[in-house]
Structure formats: C-alpha cells, structure tokens
Amino acid sequence: MDAHPSRYCATVRVQRPRQEIIQDLASMVRELLIQFYKSTRFKPTRIIFYRDGVSEGQFRQVLYYELLAIREACISLEKDYQPGITYIVVQKRHHTRLFCADRTERVGRSGNIPAGTTVDTDITHPYEFDFYLCSHAGIQGTSRPSHYHVLWDDNCFTADELQLLTYQLCHTYVRCTRSVSIPAPAYYAHLVAFRARYHLVDKEHDSKPKHPKEQLWVDREGLVKEMENLWDIEILQLLGQLCKRKKGVGRRQQEQTQNLINIFKTSFFDRKIHVLLVSVHSDLIAVMPTGAVENLKNFWKFWNLMECQQSGNLSSAPQASVTSVRLCIGHSSHRSLLAIDTINLSVFHLLSEMASLSVKPGQRFTLPDWQNNAHRISADAEHQRSTSHHIRQEARALRNDTGNQARWDECDTRTRLKDRITSVDRWREVLAKCLTDIDLEIDALTKVKDAAEDALQAKNLCLDVAIECLTFRESRRDIDVVRDPVEEELHREVKVIERTKKELQQRVDEAFKQLCLLKETRQQLSCDHRHKVEALELDRQCLSFNVTSGNISFKVNPMRIPDGTTALREWELNSQCNKDRADAEMKASIDLRGAIMLTIAQTNNELEAQRIATEFALRKRIRDMEGALSELRWQEKNTLEEIAEMEEEIRQLEEDLRKRTLDLKVAHTRLETRTYRPHVELCRDQAQFGLTGEVQDLEAAIRALQQKRTESQNALDALYRQLHCIQTDIGYKTNSLQLDNKCMDTRRKLVIPVEKFDPEVDAVNRTRNLLRNSQLELA
C-alpha cells in the first residue's frame, strides 16, 4: 500500500475445508484494489500474485478459476481496466536440496548454500517457467529452497527480473532482520489466516475444582517448596564422600544407609532436588567435625516431621522448636548450607544394635546306645528285602498288562491320525484351488482398474487442453472478447470431462474396494491354508513318532485344552465359510470388471463426439476470423493509398503556396521601390494600380491555398486515425487468430501421442504466454 513494498492490507474469507480454490477471490481482490486506490490515489498497472498451498496436479484448475476471478474484480471496478497479471505459485513442500560443489562457497556451520542462490536449469521443468530460490541463510540444518512456478505472465517479465523481484521481497518481512524463505506477502497471508482463527473460533475458559484428595498433596508440596526457598545453595559435598574415607563399615550399617537413600529418593527426588544422602551411623558420626553432628541430627528431625505430616500423624511424636538452624555437611574443602527458620521438629531416634554370637558345644553318646543302633539297622534290612520280592512279582504282572494296552492305544491313535490327515489334506487342496482362482481374479481386476486409471489420467489431458484453450482465449482484446460458439463448446467439453472423470473415479473406487475385499478374502484363505499345512505337517510328524525317536520327552500338563480350541463341526463350518465367501467375492469382481469396461467405452465415445464438435466450431471461427482480417487488410491497403495521394496533394499545395508567396514578395518589393520616385513622378499611374491589384489577387490566392492545405491536412489526420483504428483492429484480430490457431495446435495432443507432440515454446522466457507477439505488433 506504499511506494516501498513494506505496508500491506489484508482481507479474510471463510470457506469449506479441503477446498484449494479460493472461492470468493473476486470480491477480495476488489476490496484490496479499492484500498490501494484510497491509499495511493493510483490504480495498479501490474498485479503480481504469489499463491501458496497449491499442488502441481491442481495448477490448471486453480489458474483457470482464480485468474478469471482477478479479471472479474478488475472489470467490475472499470470496464476497460485490465492490468497485467503475473501468477506465481510458491511451494515449500518438496524434497529438493541444493549443496555447494565448492567447499569454499559454503556458508555457516551447517555448510549451506549462500542466500540468494537461484537454479532455473537442469532440474527444472523442460518447457515451463519455474525456478528454485534459496533466499534465506540456513542457520541450523540443511536449507530447503523455495520452488516457484510462473503459471501466467502478462507483464512480460524476464527470468532475471522476476527472480530478483522475488528475492528482494524476501527482505521486506518486518519480523525478521534478515531475509526469509518466501516473499513477505505470502508470510503475511499466513499470519492473517492464523490470526483470523482466533477471531472466528470461540474459546471456552472453565476451571475445574480440584479433587479433595489432591489438597493434602498440595499442602505437602507447599511445605517442601518452603523448605526449598530456604536453601542457600545446593548440597555439593555428599555424606558419601565421608563414608568412602572411613573403613570398616559393617553390613548392617550399609543396609541402613541404602534404606535411607531409597526413602530420601522417593520422597525428595520428585521435587527435583538433586541430592544423594547416606545413612548416619556411629562410624560416620565419629569422623564428622564438632558441631556437624548436632546439625545433622536436627536435619533428620526436620525430615521426620515431613514424613509424619504426609502420614497425617503429626501429634503422635513429641515436638521441639528450633530457630535458625544451619546444617553443615562435609569437610573443609566442600561445604553445603541449609537454613531453616522456626520449624517444629519431631524427635529423631537413631538406634544401632549389635547381635552377639553364642557358641554351641558338641553332643556326646554312650557305648550301649551305639550297639542298639547296629541291631536295629540289621532287622530293618531283612524286612525290606521281603517286601521288595513281593513288589517285584506284582510289577511283572503290571508290565504285561500295560504293554498290551499301550500297543492297542498306539494302533488306534495311528488310525485316527491317518483319518485326520486325509480330511485336512482334502480341505487343503480345496483352499489351494480357491487361492489360485482368487489370485487370477485379483490380477484381472487390477488390470481393469489400471485401465480405468489410465483412462482417468487421459481425461486429465483432455481437461488440461480444454482449460488451456479457455485460458488462451481469455487473452483476446476489446471487441474480440465475445462469447462465441467455440467458448460454449469448450465449456461444454469441460463439463463432459468432469462428469466422465467423476464416473471413472467412482468405478476406480469401487474397483479398489473390491480389490480390498478380494485381498482380505485371500488373506483369510491364505491364513486358513497355511494353518492347515502346519496342522498337516504336525499330524504327520506325530504319526512318525515312535519310541526310538530322538525328540520325545515329558511335557508339562500335556492333557490340557489350549485356549481357542474349537469343535470338529465348527472347524468344518469355518473352512466352508471361507470358500463360500471367496466364491461370492470373485463373482462380484467379474460383474464389476464388465461394468468398468462399459464405462470406459461410453466415456471415450462421449469425449470423442464432444472433441469433434469443439474442433468444428473452432475451425469455423478461424475461417470467420480470417475473412474479417482479410477485409481489414484490404481497407488498410486502400487507406494507405489514399493517404499517399493526399500527402502528394498537400505537397503540391505547399509548393504552389511557396510560389505565390514569392510572387507576393516581388509585388511588395516593386510597390515599395516605386515609393522612392521623386516629386511629381510619385503618381498613381496604371502600373501602380496594376501592382496593387496583383498584390490583392496574390493575397487572396494564398489565403485560398492555405485554407485548402488545412482542409487537406485535417483529411490526412482523419485518414491516419482511421488507419490506426484499422491497424489496431487488425492487431486484435491477428491476436485472436493466433490464439485460435494455438488452441488448434494444442488440441492436436488429443489425437497425437504426447511424446511426439512438439509445442511451440519461447525458449528464452520459458513460458507459454502468446500475448507478447501481438503486443509487440500493436506497439
């Protein structure tokens, strides 16, 4: 809004989410143009539009709709107001990174490229106008350059001019003292959008009451905070340093030390006071300096008070009052201080007990006791041998019975395992066949889906061509901006393409869902088939086991019923259900394939018919335009001939005027010379009358010639104005004819493969705007 691009005006609109096209852009641009005029009292002659948040797949649609919106905003203010528009898309979300080939050119600790590095060759689009610009200095990490796409340029900027302008705008961001990554207008647009959210969204501020149980913890936290505020400095020397210097610490004292450390950690570390404290025992107290022992006991009394408060039993311990106690821990080279003001301390008792070891005397027996013991052992041995013989007889009979029963059970188990293996193998073969069929159907449906996606992608080319033709025709000027049949056919073609794309996209979505169902069904079949293969392998392994197998052993609770065990009927129903579902999904897939192929054929026929109608209207319009252009050129030729004749006539008039002027000079000279006659010779004779009449006739002739020369000059000026009007109209017609011919060349891509199509592109400016030639002709 000023001569320096540092003051901006903003306008905000709300639109639906996931809507990339700015719906109300026309009114927004109109408001900003009015505000610009109020601030500067001038109308902008050029509009440079930096657009953020557009992906490459939406360039055509966004350019078509938003460029028309900007044009409408300008025309709504004034009918003939058509400033030049430059439409630039700014992208930051890409994976391109730039690095310095020469190490000496790297900048900063991260070794990034210098600010202002621009790349517009090699890695850019082969025939579109885009470039990479890293306008900021990378302080941390790898710099990410911004990618700029120039989709439209009425202002005829060169690549260097537009890149320099973009880089300079990156230095006008007032919130930063250095250049930023994208131009300042784009940054300000982000700030306005985020700020608008706080004005449009209501916030609720409610405070929830605290839970009653939390009050006790808050009280304890407050007490601990009070204690923290009284600390002069953190404890730097730990009691462990003293403990390390003292040898001979007992195991019981070490256990007490560790217990107190754990208590202190769990109760005190939650306040983030990084202190490690060890237990106080008699050996440790003995090596402390005088006065430190009492201070350490007072500190433990204070800690015991906090523990009693947490348990809610403050009244159970006797109280004592200590004022301004200062605890000193450590030795002379390291000292830490803790200040406590008027705190009630509970009594702390430190008890250390040492247990004494008693020595037990050895036991002594008599000789009769020893003899009685020997007789008792002998009698017990005779009894045990008799019992053992009886047990051996019973064991022989038991071995015979258990051996026969084991052989019978083994035979029955093998028969059952063989039957189960046969049943599982039959279902395995059925599922394997279903898997093969469903794989074939998935491949067939995938190919049809790919064909539908290819057809949908081909429709994008048709849509791009139609939008490009409409965009080209928007560059027509003055009287040539008419809504002719060509424009109507192009709009109709856009609608047909969008409808066919919607139908194809619906079919692609249906194919995708059906593929998901097929793959899900295949996953279940594959899982069932794999489980049956594993079960078959396990049953065959069980069938191969015998007493000589090397991998047999006792197991823990082998007769348990594992979780997830199913009945035989349920197992068969599950297998049958998987097979039936696979058959149903394959049938649905076959029907869907037929519908997709029919949709592809119908959409292709509709688009072909519309293409023929559009090209017929375009050729007819070109023929009419060529006729009008031929008529104008014939008029131009006749006008030029008339101008040449009129200029020759004016030249002759001027020549006659010059001759009459010389004659008048001669007559004036004669009359003036005759005035010098002496005395009576100065008379009015016939010669005097003749010269006087000659002067009057010459003056009248000169006036008539001058008047005729003025009329001729006015006629010549009128002829020149008419010639300019004719030439201007010829320029408009030539521009329109070139645009229509360009549309015809562009539509050749619909019948010629893209790889064989050779577009006419300006190799210097690398843009597809055709207005430059016509503008040069008009200039």
Side-chain angles (χ1 to χ4, degrees):
M1 294 298 167
D2 55 356
H4 307 284
S6 60
R7 181 169 171 260
Y8 292 88
C9 179
T11 180
V12 181
R13 294 292 188 278
V14 179
Q15 66 182 25
R16 294 177 298 175
R18 299 185 178 275
Q19 184 70 31
E20 294 297 338
I21 299 174
I22 303 175
Q23 297 296 322
D24 203 12
L25 182 61
S27 64
M28 297 171 71
V29 173
R30 189 176 186 275
E31 292 178 8
L32 295 176
L33 291 175
I34 294 174
Q35 186 65 30
F36 182 86
Y37 183 78
K38 290 180 179 178
S39 300
T40 62
R41 308 308 299 176
F42 290 100
K43 296 182 293 184
T45 57
R46 297 180 181 181
I47 297 176
I48 303 175
F49 192 88
Y50 285 94
R51 180 71 159 88
D52 193 7
V54 181
S55 60
E56 293 185 3
Q58 295 175 329
F59 280 175
R60 298 290 182 188
Q61 291 83 350
V62 172
L63 174 63
Y64 173 66
Y65 289 106
E66 295 187 359
L67 186 63
L68 289 181
I70 299 174
R71 292 284 191 199
E72 290 176 2
C74 297
I75 294 174
S76 66
L77 294 174
E78 187 175 341
K79 183 177 180 181
D80 296 332
Y81 177 52
Q82 294 183 357
I85 299 174
T86 300
Y87 192 99
I88 306 171
V89 173
V90 186
Q91 288 184 336
K92 286 286 288 182
R93 295 183 180 179
H94 56 81
H95 300 287
T96 302
R97 302 293 184 273
L98 303 178
F99 301 94
C100 294
D102 189 358
R103 293 179 176 270
T104 60
E105 297 179 354
R106 297 181 179 178
V107 177
R109 292 180 298 176
S110 301
N112 286 307
I113 56 178
T117 301
T118 306
V119 177
D120 57 359
T121 58
D122 295 336
I123 63 174
T124 56
H125 200 278
Y127 57 85
E128 290 184 358
F129 189 2
D130 66 324
F131 61 91
Y132 290 91
L133 172 60
C134 184
S135 57
H136 64 289
I139 300 176
Q140 182 177 4
T142 304
S143 298
R144 177 187 296 177
S146 299
H147 194 186
Y148 297 87
H149 296 265
V150 183
L151 302 184
W152 191 261
D153 185 16
D154 286 336
N155 298 312
C156 304
F157 284 115
T158 63
D160 294 337
E161 291 174 347
L162 197 55
Q163 292 163 7
L164 181 60
L165 173 63
T166 302
Y167 181 54
Q168 290 174 348
L169 285 176
C170 295
H171 288 76
T172 61
Y173 187 60
V174 297
R175 290 194 173 189
C176 188
T177 58
R178 59 177 71 202
S179 60
V180 293
S181 59
I182 59 177
Y187 254 120
Y188 291 144
H190 283 288
L191 292 178
V192 171
F194 282 114
R195 179 67 61 85
R197 294 173 57 188
Y198 291 96
H199 295 284
L200 298 176
V201 179
D202 295 333
K203 292 186 177 181
E204 295 182 359
H205 298 278
D206 55 343
S207 58
K208 297 181 179 180
K210 294 183 179 179
H211 195 273
K213 292 185 179 179
E214 295 179 359
Q215 190 63 34
L216 295 175
W217 177 246
V218 172
D219 294 340
R220 186 173 183 274
E221 280 190 348
L223 182 60
V224 175
K225 241 177 203 180
E226 282 186 8
M227 192 188 71
E228 288 179 19
N229 296 332
L230 296 175
W231 281 52
D232 291 339
I233 58 174
E234 293 184 357
I235 298 177
L236 302 176
Q237 181 65 24
L238 308 178
L239 292 179
Q241 299 293 333
L242 293 176
C243 189
K244 290 180 181 179
R245 296 175 181 270
K246 183 65 180 176
K247 303 296 183 179
V249 179
R251 181 174 181 180
R252 184 174 180 183
Q253 286 80 0
Q254 292 179 0
E255 292 178 355
Q256 292 177 355
T257 299
Q258 188 61 38
N259 292 336
L260 288 176
I261 288 173
N262 295 335
I263 294 173
F264 196 84
K265 282 182 178 180
T266 55
S267 301
F268 225 63
F269 265 36
D270 56 358
R271 301 302 304 152
K272 298 183 179 179
I273 303 174
H274 302 288
V275 178
L276 179 63
L277 201 60
V278 297
S279 174
V280 181
H281 49 80
S282 57
D283 295 331
L284 184 59
I285 294 176
V287 299
M288 286 187 178
T290 306
V293 176
E294 293 299 328
N295 292 336
L296 183 61
K297 288 183 179 180
N298 289 332
F299 177 75
W300 285 114
K301 290 176 184 179
F302 170 72
W303 179 249
N304 193 18
L305 172 64
M306 290 184 62
E307 294 297 327
C308 292
Q309 184 190 12
Q310 184 179 5
S311 62
N313 195 13
L314 280 174
S315 61
S316 60
Q319 305 291 319
S321 178
V322 180
T323 303
S324 298
V325 179
R326 204 167 194 78
L327 175 64
C328 300
I329 303 176
H331 51 85
S332 59
S333 61
H334 299 281
R335 183 174 300 274
S336 299
L337 302 177
L338 173 65
I340 307 171
D341 293 335
T342 316
I343 300 176
N344 292 328
L345 303 177
S346 62
V347 179
F348 175 77
H349 298 282
L350 181 65
L351 300 177
S352 300
E353 297 179 355
M354 298 295 293
S356 60
L357 263 171
S358 58
V359 180
K360 184 178 180 180
Q363 186 177 5
R364 299 293 185 269
F365 296 95
T366 61
L367 184 59
D369 293 335
W370 178 80
Q371 292 175 350
N372 291 333
N373 182 61
H375 288 298
R376 188 180 71 255
I377 292 174
S378 177
D380 290 342
E382 290 292 339
H383 178 71
Q384 290 298 331
R385 284 198 298 275
S386 175
T387 304
S388 175
H389 177 74
H390 180 69
I391 291 174
R392 283 192 293 109
Q393 296 298 326
E394 292 179 351
R396 186 177 294 111
L398 182 61
R399 283 190 291 107
N400 293 331
D401 294 340
T402 53
N404 294 331
Q405 184 64 36
R407 284 190 292 274
W408 171 257
D409 292 341
E410 172 71 13
C411 181
D412 184 63
T413 300
R414 284 183 173 275
T415 302
R416 294 174 182 269
L417 281 174
K418 289 178 181 179
D419 294 341
R420 180 60 179 172
I421 288 172
T422 302
S423 177
V424 173
D425 188 57
R426 179 175 58 82
W427 273 110
R428 181 190 61 80
E429 293 176 354
V430 172
L431 294 179
K433 184 178 182 304
C434 285
L435 279 174
T436 303
D437 295 340
I438 204 169
D439 286 337
L440 295 175
E441 183 59 32
I442 288 175
D443 293 338
L445 185 57
T446 302
K447 291 179 181 179
V448 173
K449 175 177 170 291
D450 293 340
E453 290 176 347
D454 294 340
L456 183 61
Q457 187 66 27
K459 302 304 179 292
N460 289 334
L461 176 61
C462 299
L463 183 60
D464 292 343
V465 170
I467 292 177
E468 189 172 0
C469 292
L470 286 171
T471 307
F472 282 152
R473 289 177 62 82
E474 285 299 322
S475 300
R476 294 174 295 172
R477 297 286 181 157
D478 200 56
I479 193 62
D480 285 350
V481 184
V482 296
R483 188 171 182 85
D484 50 6
V486 177
E487 188 171 353
E488 294 177 357
E489 292 294 337
L490 285 173
H491 282 291
R492 190 177 297 112
E493 187 176 20
V494 169
K495 293 180 180 179
V496 170
I497 293 172
E498 289 178 350
R499 187 181 71 252
T500 56
K501 284 184 63 177
K502 184 177 180 181
E503 294 176 359
L504 287 173
Q505 185 63 47
Q506 183 179 359
R507 291 301 185 184
V508 170
D509 294 340
E510 292 176 358
F512 177 76
K513 292 179 181 178
Q514 187 61 36
L515 277 175
C516 292
L517 293 175
L518 286 173
K519 290 180 179 180
E520 182 182 356
T521 304
R522 189 194 180 284
Q523 181 67 20
Q524 291 181 353
L525 285 176
S526 178
C527 182
D528 197 6
H529 180 267
R530 185 176 65 254
H531 291 168
K532 283 181 171 49
V533 171
E534 292 176 0
L536 194 61
E537 183 179 355
L538 291 175
D539 287 341
R540 286 174 178 171
Q541 186 179 2
C542 291
L543 187 62
S544 65
F545 283 153
N546 53 42
V547 295
T548 60
S549 300
N551 54 349
I552 59 175
S553 62
F554 289 106
K555 308 298 179 184
V556 178
N557 192 15
M559 298 178 64
R560 70 185 184 279
I561 299 177
D563 295 336
T565 302
T566 59
L568 180 61
R569 180 60 181 171
E570 185 178 354
W571 173 80
E572 292 178 350
L573 289 175
N574 180 67
S575 300
Q576 187 64 40
C577 179
N578 289 336
K579 180 180 178 302
D580 294 342
R581 182 183 178 186
D583 294 338
E585 295 298 341
M586 284 190 287
K587 184 179 181 303
S589 177
I590 292 171
D591 296 339
L592 181 59
R593 282 194 287 126
I596 291 175
M597 295 304 296
L598 181 61
T599 301
I600 292 174
Q602 290 177 348
T603 54
N604 289 337
N605 293 337
E606 291 178 3
L607 282 181
E608 182 64 20
Q610 184 59 42
R611 181 188 68 82
I612 294 172
T614 303
E615 292 182 357
F616 174 77
L618 191 57
R619 285 193 295 269
K620 185 175 181 300
R621 181 61 178 170
I622 290 173
R623 185 186 62 189
D624 296 341
M625 190 66 68
E626 288 175 348
L629 187 60
S630 177
E631 175 66 22
L632 287 174
R633 285 175 178 169
W634 184 80
Q635 293 292 343
E636 180 186 19
K637 178 182 176 182
N638 294 338
T639 304
L640 288 173
E641 292 175 356
E642 182 64 26
I643 287 173
E645 293 177 357
M646 181 58 71
E647 289 177 346
E648 180 63 23
E649 183 65 26
I650 291 174
R651 187 184 64 78
Q652 292 178 1
L653 286 173
E654 291 177 349
E655 182 66 22
D656 291 345
L657 185 61
R658 186 181 63 82
K659 291 178 180 181
R660 300 293 83 76
T661 302
L662 292 175
D663 294 338
L664 183 61
K665 288 180 180 179
V666 171
H668 282 187
T669 304
R670 287 174 178 174
L671 286 173
E672 181 66 23
T673 303
R674 286 178 63 83
T675 59
Y676 294 110
R677 290 176 297 171
H679 300 288
V680 97
E681 295 297 329
L682 187 64
C683 66
R684 299 184 65 186
D685 52 8
Q686 294 298 322
Q688 183 71 22
F689 288 124
L691 287 174
T692 302
E694 183 182 3
V695 167
Q696 292 175 352
D697 293 339
L698 287 174
E699 287 178 351
I702 288 173
R703 285 194 298 272
L705 288 173
Q706 287 177 347
Q707 182 179 0
K708 185 56 66 176
R709 185 186 61 178
T710 302
E711 293 176 358
S712 300
Q713 188 63 42
N714 292 334
L716 182 62
D717 292 341
L719 286 174
Y720 270 115
R721 286 194 296 273
Q722 185 62 31
L723 178 63
H724 176 71
C725 181
I726 292 173
Q727 289 178 344
T728 301
D729 203 9
I730 288 175
Y732 292 154
K733 296 292 187 296
T734 303
N735 179 40
S736 300
L737 185 60
Q738 288 180 353
L739 291 174
D740 288 341
N741 288 326
K742 183 61 179 178
C743 291
M744 287 298 297
D745 292 339
T746 303
R747 294 187 67 83
R748 287 172 54 203
K749 291 189 289 188
L750 299 178
V751 294
I752 299 176
V754 179
E755 59 272 7
K756 296 183 180 180
F757 179 71
D758 186 15
E760 298 177 1
V761 181
D762 188 350
V764 177
N765 297 306
R766 300 175 65 245
T767 179
R768 285 183 277 182
N769 189 359
L770 295 177
L771 298 181
R772 295 174 181 170
N773 295 332
S774 62
Q775 289 174 353
L776 290 175
E777 290 178 2
L778 292 176

